[in-house]
């Protein structure tokens, strides 16, 4: 039963992700992104990875989406600005799509094409916490300060005069 729920959540996540990148409205795309992230959390819960599901909800569907909402508030969403941006980025999707296809191709062909065999990879929760709050704590705090500075700079540059 949990495999069926995981499959259903995965298909909902895929559909939501596709809708997130194809909707013309910024806010609608953001709401579909939240749906995709929550669907992924449902997949984690259904597959028995409750810690990963909780992290998905707290970090991605909570904190990261809050940052995106802040960025959406700074975007000039007038029809003229959106039309100008669409014209400027008309073919910009081709290079990232090609890179994703090159990276995903060996994964789609199977583990024998990459030379890597999948195996169980368990990390004790205590070891994960020790790494996150031990030697990497300063790096995480520096990255968060840089992100905050970038957001403030984007807000300053994006405000209407």
């Amino acid at each position: 039963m949990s495999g069926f729920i995981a499959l259903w959540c995965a298909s909902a996540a895929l559909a939501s992700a596709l809708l997130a990148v194809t909707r013309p409205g910024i806010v609608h795309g953001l709401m579909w992104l939240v749906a995709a992230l929550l669907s992924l959390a449902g997949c984690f819960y259904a597959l028995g990875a409750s810690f990963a599901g909780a992290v998905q909800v707290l970090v991605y569907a909570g904190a990261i989406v809050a940052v995106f909402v802040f960025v959406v508030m700074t975007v000039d969403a007038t029809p003229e600005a959106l039309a100008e941006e669409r014209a400027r980025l008309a073919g910009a999707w081709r290079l990232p799509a090609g890179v994703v296809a090159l990276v995903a191709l060996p994964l789609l062909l199977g583990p024998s094409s990459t030379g890597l065999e999948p195996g169980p990879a368990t990390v004790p929760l205590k070891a994960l916490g020790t790494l996150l709050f031990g030697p990497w704590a300063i790096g995480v705090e520096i990255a968060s300060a840089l992100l905050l500075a970038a957001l403030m700079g984007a807000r300053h540059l994006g405000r209407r005069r």
Side-chain angles (χ1 to χ4, degrees), residues 38-112:
L38 291 176
S39 297
L40 284 176
C43 286
F44 288 136
Y45 283 120
L47 294 174
S50 58
F51 178 73
V55 168
Q56 179 76 19
V57 170
L58 291 174
V59 174
Y60 291 105
I64 300 299
V65 170
V67 171
F68 286 171
V69 167
F70 181 80
V71 170
V72 164
M73 290 187 316
T74 65
V75 172
D76 183 17
T78 60
E80 299 84 23
L82 291 175
E84 178 184 332
E85 186 173 353
R86 278 193 194 102
R88 188 171 46 92
L89 298 175
W93 61 272
R94 289 184 179 99
L95 179 65
V99 170
V100 167
L102 286 176
V103 170
L105 187 63
L107 298 175
L108 293 174
L109 294 176
S112 60

Side-chain angles (χ1 to χ4, degrees), residues 70-71 74 145-159:
F70 181 80
V71 170
T74 65
L146 286 173
L147 180 62
L148 180 63
L151 284 173
M152 291 296 117
R155 173 70 179 117
H156 177 71
L157 292 174
R159 69 181 172 167

Side-chain angles (χ1 to χ4, degrees), residues 50-52 55 122-133:
S50 58
F51 178 73
V55 168
T122 59
V123 176
L125 197 55
K126 186 175 182 180
L128 179 66
T130 303
L131 279 175
L132 287 178
F133 297 110

Side-chain angles (χ1 to χ4, degrees), residues 18 29 91 116 143 147:
L18 287 172
L116 300 174
L147 180 62

